[in-house]
Amino acid sequence: MTDAVTVTDLVVHRGRREVLHGLTFAVPPGQVTGLLGPSGSGKTTLMRALVGVQRVRAGEVTVLGEPAGSPGLRSRVGYVTQAPSVYPDLTVRENARHFAALYGRTARDADAALADVGLAGAGGQLVGDLSGGQRGRASLACALVGRPEVLVLDEPTVGLDPVLRVELWARFADLAAAGTTLLVSSHVMDEAARCDRLLLLRDGELLADSTPDRLRAESGTADLDEAFLRVVRAREEVAA
Ligand SMILES: Nc1ncnc2c1ncn2[C@@H]1O[C@H](COP(=O)(O)OP(=O)(O)OP(=O)(O)O)[C@@H](O)[C@H]1O
Ligand SMILES: [Mg+2]
């Protein structure tokens, strides 16, 4: 099967600095790929480049065989930003229905998306009155409702309690099993274990393009946090 996303020699500048230094990788379809890396490593910048809202200095990004940001991709790629992007003056259900209408989906699809993120009972609440975690889930529901082929989620589980996090990751796995390609960023290593594939980013460079099992085997530890540290140290030794 052809890759859902391909990135070749991607260089991005933000402000006066180069923040992505020539990334090359591919994202296979129908899997959950985790984009892991510390704060400031370039996760959001990379996701912005994939959805076509980031100016790119050099390199190529294709999504579903088209250049990132092509008009034809608009309904095929869902993006949930790190800051929730929902209307605070509408209720949860109104938000979901608004996005459903934009994507040509039904009110029933909107309700299903709310149930998926555990907000079925909060449909009548104003988004402006929600907690941070609830608002993030409302934002996620609005992306799920379009049933995009590629879902790009920037730290979707920040601020969620452990039970909800596990539920959402289970939902991501369901979506992938049904054929959706997911790219999910996180800086929590315990979430890395739930991914089919892992991209480890640090200071705008790709340190590893692997799977949890392969990373554990190669670094000689079952602990992915420790594995990441070992990959970092190995890279620093090569550089030195
Ligand atoms: N608008 C901007 N102007 C200038 N520099 C920026 C801008 N946005 C981000 N950067 C810089 O680009 C680099 C990558 O930032 P990015 O937001 O992609 O990191 P991140 O991995 O998503 O971090 P976090 O985990 O904190 O969300 C950082 O050094 C950051 O300071
Ligand atoms: Mg970010």
Side-chain angles (χ1 to χ4, degrees), residues 103-180:
Y103 296 122
R105 307 288 175 189
T106 62
R108 184 189 288 218
D109 292 327
D111 291 341
L114 291 181
D116 278 339
V117 300
L119 282 181
Q125 262 180 273
L126 279 183
V127 163
D129 294 341
L130 299 178
S131 72
Q134 288 174 321
R135 205 171 307 178
R137 279 185 284 146
S139 198
L140 179 58
C142 291
L144 289 179
V145 77
R147 283 185 256 137
E149 292 159 66
V150 176
L151 251 182
V152 178
L153 306 176
D154 200 354
E155 307 213 26
T157 62
V158 166
L160 299 187
D161 63 74
V163 175
L164 260 175
R165 277 175 46 184
V166 168
E167 282 176 13
L168 268 188
W169 276 95
R171 181 70 190 129
F172 298 159
D174 292 344
L175 285 166
T180 306

Side-chain angles (χ1 to χ4, degrees), residues 14-17 19 37-46 82 154-155 187 201:
R14 297 192 82 170
R16 294 208 183 106
R17 288 191 323 117
V19 297
S39 181
S41 57
K43 301 181 297 296
T44 297
T45 304
L46 176 56
Q82 204 164 352
D154 200 354
E155 307 213 26
H187 53 249
L201 201 60

Side-chain angles (χ1 to χ4, degrees), residues 29-52:
Q31 294 193 358
V32 181
T33 297
L35 179 58
L36 277 291
S39 181
S41 57
K43 301 181 297 296
T44 297
T45 304
L46 176 56
M47 291 184 147
R48 284 166 50 88
L50 296 188
V51 297

